[in-house]
Amino acid sequence: MSHRPTVHLRERSKRAVKDEQMRKAVEKAVDRLSGNRLKAEREMPNWDEWREQGKRIRKHTVNHLDYYLGQLAESVRNKGGHIYFAQTATEAQEIIIKICKEKNAKLIAKSKSMVTEEIHLNLALEKENMKVVETDLAEYILQLAGETPSHIIVPAIHKNRYQIAELFSKVAGQKIEPDTPSLTTFARKTLRKTFMAADVGITGCNFAIADTGAISLVTNEGNARMVTSLPKVLISVMGMERVLPTFEDLEVMLSLLPRHATGQKLTSYISVVNAPRSKDEGDGAEEFHLVIVDNGRSKLLADEEYRQALHCIRCGACFNVCPVYRQIGGHAYGSVYSGPIGAVITPFLQDDFDFWGELAYATTLCGACSAACAVKIPLHDLLINIRRTRVELGFTHPLEKMGFKMWRRIFKIPGRYKFAMKFGSFAQRPFMNDGYIQSGPPPLANWTNSRYFPAAADKTFREIWQEKNK
Amino acid sequence: MQNKEQAFLSHVAKVLGRDRPLLKPPKRDEVGPPAFWKEQKFDIDHPLAFFKRNLENLTGRVYIAKDSKDVSQQVNAWLEELQAKRVIMWDHEELKKVVAIQDAKVKVDYWTAKGPKRKMMEAAERADVGITWADYGIGYTGTLALFSSPIQGRSVSLLPTVHIAILKKENLVPTMSTVMNDIIQRRGNNSVPAAVDFITGPSRTSDIEMDLSIGVHGPVKVWVIVLDD
């Protein structure tokens, strides 16, 4: 079950940078989302206090995850729900397939869920001859296109209306006009049938409430409400960190998440599913199954620094401010979770620091992600940590190792340093142009292939200092 | 299954540096929103004004009715404006007291405790308008909170093209805190509803080129009548 890209990150980025349409779309999306977030922050009193409180709550919960997961399991069972724990993606798939088979499910309606993307659930269900339909508009588009999300809030942002119209027209068997109202109307009509006919509904879970055993879903379209209200069986899948102690804590997350994600005061729908429907209720699921997934998260949890990545509430604000994401979009990362948070968690979820650890280089370490984070995760520090871990594990290129060894030998001794600086400003002359090295010799070429290298000044700082003090 | 759960929780405990999973609630210094919020030390003197402005900003409508007759008149006026042919309504005592649909041509279905489940759902799906009695209105965000029950079907606020909610002014609260506290109270006596839905304006999406589009799956319009008698 390998979902690993076949080309290297460098090549993936190069291709992405050439995709003008995608880059324009991403730019528009991230600027809009970031602008909305900043406006929402200004409107909400004492914004920073909210973020601090959010951080405290997430930290407390994650630090006591064993307790809260145990409590959650108990609460769900007490109300007649079913609870499952899956250590791996495969285990999670097996659990869900088993439930669906027992219910003789033929048609499954899904609402947007990153964790089900992570465990590649759709493929697994389709292999069992069950039809799975994504019902979030963006996910529906991606399913028709056979693509993966490129942003966790607006997953199909890389597709334009003409491409979408083409996909929908194929399904409709007639031309669907490439304007937003026609496209959404078509999706509404088509997916309505799915909601009404589905045997099983599958959702993710934004936050589960440990002391009550409820789950909550934060959405705008209403598809998650359909999926939780209409089919007789509901399966919700959650990463094991997606839990909160009480409903009071949920209010904090609901203040942070929509504002940070899209700048909304609240999304159109917050759907809280607390229990299977009561005896006389006419809608809502009769059966509720909650699947809790580890899939590498306990490796993050084991380290006090990396553990902070589990505080994440998936608002996507770090995507929207990241200068790297802005240029290459989500697909170049090659992972299910892209953006800064994706670069941090993917090596753990995939248990591979060699290949996936390289994502930690798809960053400028500018710290914009940490500054934008709803719960103040120091993302850029964690990215540096991953680089360090890679060095410790011996995954760095031999030339890089040699380079740094030499650098250390030179910089350790003032005389050598002085000489190196002088030599550098002399040796660079053949390559210099307008104060930059625009095309350097190897190994500098790796840098200058994609950007100019600032040339060293004629005089070193020490020389200028000495002249001034004469 | 239980063994698997134990193994899972033990593993989580182990990586957190504990010998076995915690069974007693861990100590917490602070729970829920920041203190200033809980004490409502911010500008929210007029929850109704907030509610109206917020919902209207989201293309919603808010009508403030002075008595039950006024509510009924407004509902009928809206149904006429919408040219509604089919309506589904909660079989809710208070709601039925204030809403009488006059146009005999409008087919009215009720969501009842004993009704045929599938049929009611299909009626909701065909309805132009669904009418509910909101448990709460939240001023700060322009939100309705609906608690599910046998007579308070979720489909009524979800499947019709338009959702009209009637809300008593006394149930209009400044922030979500009141609703959360209600749920916590109910938790104590095992009466948390199977579902709680917070609804803030119509269904929307920006999934196509960031272009805002109203009414993708849920109602296209959310209109509210606040009964202030």
Side-chain angles (χ1 to χ4, degrees):
Chain A
M1 210 185 63
S2 173
H3 295 269
R4 198 168 133 151
T6 45
V7 293
H8 190 265
L9 172 63
R10 208 173 294 124
E11 186 55 34
R12 302 200 301 272
S13 315
K14 228 185 247 169
R15 286 180 198 175
V17 166
K18 283 185 194 135
D19 187 346
E20 286 290 336
Q21 182 236 317
M22 180 276 291
R23 284 177 61 200
K24 271 207 190 98
V26 168
E27 226 175 81
K28 182 174 161 191
V30 298
D31 284 346
R32 177 88 58 86
L33 293 170
S34 276
N36 290 351
R37 170 177 60 84
L38 292 169
K39 202 166 145 258
E41 285 180 11
R42 283 193 296 272
E43 278 168 9
M44 188 74 169
N46 308 354
W47 188 241
D48 202 58
E49 229 176 288
W50 282 100
R51 289 173 68 207
E52 271 301 326
Q53 190 69 353
K55 177 186 169 172
R56 273 196 286 267
I57 292 170
R58 291 302 295 149
K59 186 175 177 185
H60 170 84
T61 314
V62 167
N63 282 348
H64 301 92
L65 203 54
D66 50 345
Y67 174 76
Y68 289 113
L69 287 179
Q71 192 189 26
L72 176 65
E74 215 39 51
S75 314
V76 168
R77 261 195 300 269
N78 282 343
K79 288 179 302 190
H82 305 271
I83 193 124
Y84 310 82
F85 286 90
Q87 206 69 250
T88 63
T90 316
E91 271 178 46
Q93 287 177 359
E94 285 165 2
I95 291 164
I96 298 161
I97 288 169
K98 188 159 171 264
I99 303 167
C100 292
K101 275 188 170 169
E102 271 168 20
K103 299 296 142 198
N104 206 7
K106 302 212 165 44
L107 179 63
I108 298 166
K110 261 189 80 201
S111 72
K112 187 175 153 193
S113 146
M114 286 306 288
V115 69
T116 57
E117 292 278 346
E118 175 191 326
I119 63 171
H120 303 288
L121 181 62
N122 291 8
L123 267 178
L125 289 168
E126 279 157 9
K127 265 191 203 147
E128 302 289 332
N129 294 318
M130 291 181 250
K131 191 176 177 204
V132 190
V133 180
E134 292 286 353
T135 62
D136 172 81
L137 181 56
E139 294 280 356
Y140 179 60
I141 294 165
L142 294 181
Q143 191 179 30
L144 293 178
E147 291 176 18
T148 52
S150 65
H151 188 291
I152 54 173
I153 299 297
V154 279
I157 195 55
H158 58 283
K159 297 218 93 66
N160 66 31
R161 63 187 68 209
Y162 303 100
Q163 297 167 313
I164 297 165
E166 209 170 289
L167 292 167
F168 284 8
S169 300
K170 241 184 243 165
V171 179
Q174 65 181 73
K175 190 169 166 28
I176 306 290
E177 292 302 322
D179 57 83
T180 318
S182 308
L183 296 170
T184 42
T185 306
F186 171 76
R188 181 184 176 97
K189 279 192 188 148
T190 313
L191 293 170
R192 232 350 134 83
K193 291 178 204 138
T194 305
F195 294 126
M196 295 300 285
D199 307 298
V200 171
I202 297 183
T203 72
C205 165
N206 286 94
F207 304 102
I209 310 299
D211 70 356
T212 319
I215 62 147
S216 60
L217 295 159
V218 179
T219 67
N220 271 318
E221 295 180 4
N223 60 315
R225 271 199 81 192
M226 301 269 181
V227 171
T228 56
S229 302
L230 304 179
K232 288 196 169 159
V233 179
L234 169 62
I235 305 172
S236 298
V237 191
M238 61 180 267
M240 68 175 192
E241 79 283 17
R242 232 123 278 294
V243 60
L244 291 171
T246 73
F247 270 100
E248 281 180 280
D249 301 311
L250 181 62
E251 186 181 0
V252 179
M253 298 307 148
L254 293 181
S255 297
L256 290 169
L257 177 55
R259 286 184 173 88
H260 262 258
T262 59
Q264 287 170 277
K265 290 190 165 94
L266 207 57
T267 51
S268 302
Y269 304 103
I270 309 291
S271 317
V272 175
V273 180
N274 168 60
R277 67 161 86 153
S278 65
K279 198 173 99 281
D280 287 329
E281 272 185 277
D283 52 9
E286 287 170 5
E287 269 183 41
F288 174 54
H289 302 266
L290 181 59
V291 184
I292 300 175
V293 182
D294 181 329
N295 198 35
R297 287 167 175 77
S298 53
K299 284 184 230 102
L300 282 159
L301 192 63
D303 181 284
E304 271 186 50
E305 290 290 316
Y306 288 129
R307 187 181 295 170
Q308 298 174 88
L310 295 176
H311 298 173
C312 173
I313 61 170
R314 303 279 188 268
C315 69
C318 59
F319 289 57
N320 303 335
V321 295
C322 177
V324 176
Y325 180 85
R326 184 190 186 85
Q327 300 303 337
I328 65 172
H331 285 157
Y333 287 77
S335 46
V336 170
Y337 300 95
S338 54
I341 185 70
V344 172
I345 64 177
T346 305
F348 291 88
L349 300 187
Q350 297 286 345
D351 197 14
D352 183 349
F353 268 74
D354 187 6
F355 185 82
W356 290 111
E358 288 213 319
L359 290 180
Y361 295 90
T363 157
T364 62
L365 300 178
C366 65
C369 46
S370 310
C373 179
V375 289
K376 299 192 170 185
I377 303 168
L379 286 158
H380 71 291
D381 289 337
L382 299 182
L383 287 165
I384 297 176
N385 275 5
I386 290 178
R387 294 184 182 189
R388 182 180 304 131
T389 306
R390 282 188 93 246
V391 173
E392 283 161 9
L393 292 170
F395 291 139
T396 33
H397 195 276
L399 271 178
E400 187 184 321
K401 260 191 231 170
M402 210 171 77
F404 274 103
K405 256 191 202 143
M406 279 177 52
W407 182 81
R408 196 178 70 175
R409 286 180 61 175
I410 292 168
F411 276 57
K412 215 160 62 169
I413 293 159
R416 282 185 195 161
Y417 175 80
K418 212 165 138 188
F419 173 76
M421 287 298 107
K422 220 47 224 165
F423 178 77
S425 76
F426 172 75
Q428 72 184 352
R429 276 184 198 159
F431 305 102
M432 253 174 74
N433 202 343
D434 281 343
Y436 286 97
I437 301 172
Q438 299 186 355
S439 162
L444 192 60
N446 277 338
W447 176 290
T448 55
N449 278 346
S450 47
R451 56 239 191 262
Y452 297 165
F453 190 84
D458 284 341
K459 283 182 184 165
T460 66
F461 176 75
R462 287 161 178 246
E463 284 169 341
I464 298 170
W465 183 261
Q466 271 162 8
E467 277 172 25
K468 293 245 176 214
N469 285 304
K470 255 178 198 167
Chain B
M1 200 84 256
Q2 292 277 352
N3 280 342
K4 218 165 176 195
E5 180 175 328
Q6 272 320 308
F8 190 102
L9 295 177
S10 297
H11 179 63
V12 171
K14 201 183 109 202
V15 298
L16 282 166
R18 283 188 267 278
D19 296 336
R20 61 183 70 84
L22 265 186
L23 294 174
K24 281 204 191 112
K27 253 214 182 118
R28 294 187 71 185
D29 300 332
E30 283 168 281
V31 180
F36 84 91
W37 187 259
K38 286 189 199 164
E39 292 154 17
Q40 294 186 4
K41 284 183 182 155
F42 57 98
D43 176 29
I44 181 89
D45 287 342
H46 305 286
L48 180 55
F50 267 78
F51 182 81
K52 192 168 180 332
R53 195 175 57 230
N54 280 323
L55 193 53
E56 282 170 355
N57 279 342
L58 299 168
T59 74
R61 284 194 198 172
V62 178
Y63 177 82
I64 298 159
K66 57 183 188 298
D67 54 31
S68 56
K69 213 177 118 200
D70 196 7
V71 174
S72 205
Q73 269 172 6
Q74 190 57 38
V75 169
N76 282 292
W78 277 351
L79 292 182
E80 201 184 316
E81 185 187 334
L82 293 162
Q83 297 181 309
K85 303 213 164 39
R86 287 168 167 273
V87 170
I88 187 156
M89 226 167 106
W90 282 356
D91 184 29
H92 188 287
E93 282 312 314
E94 287 187 84
L95 180 61
K96 286 196 290 188
K97 250 188 255 166
V98 298
V99 175
I101 292 166
Q102 285 145 0
D103 189 343
K105 288 197 291 290
V106 175
K107 181 172 177 353
V108 184
D109 285 297
Y110 287 91
W111 191 280
T112 65
K114 298 288 174 212
K117 296 182 162 83
R118 184 72 202 177
K119 274 228 165 93
M120 289 196 298
M121 209 184 269
E122 279 163 6
E125 210 278 321
R126 279 194 305 269
D128 304 305
V129 178
I131 306 178
T132 64
W133 181 265
D135 291 84
Y136 287 103
I138 300 166
Y140 206 74
T141 48
T143 303
L144 297 164
L146 269 52
F147 288 12
S148 81
S149 84
I151 54 162
Q152 307 194 164
R154 304 164 216 194
S155 303
V156 178
S157 60
L158 178 63
L159 296 174
T161 317
V162 178
H163 173 202
I164 296 178
I166 320 292
L167 172 70
K168 275 185 121 167
K169 198 192 165 201
E170 65 216 56
N171 293 332
L172 190 67
V173 297
T175 69
M176 190 181 264
S177 306
T178 316
V179 186
M180 294 307 190
N181 286 329
D182 185 352
I183 298 175
I184 290 167
Q185 297 272 312
R186 285 162 182 261
R187 187 183 150 257
N189 52 23
N190 272 329
S191 64
V192 184
V196 178
D197 283 295
F198 294 95
I199 299 170
T200 309
S203 153
R204 54 190 263 163
T205 184
S206 298
D207 277 349
I208 300 173
E209 295 189 5
M210 295 303 287
D211 190 9
L212 179 65
S213 178
I214 298 294
V216 57
H217 290 307
V220 178
K221 294 181 167 74
V222 176
W223 294 353
V224 179
I225 298 172
V226 181
L227 174 55
D228 181 11
D229 54 1

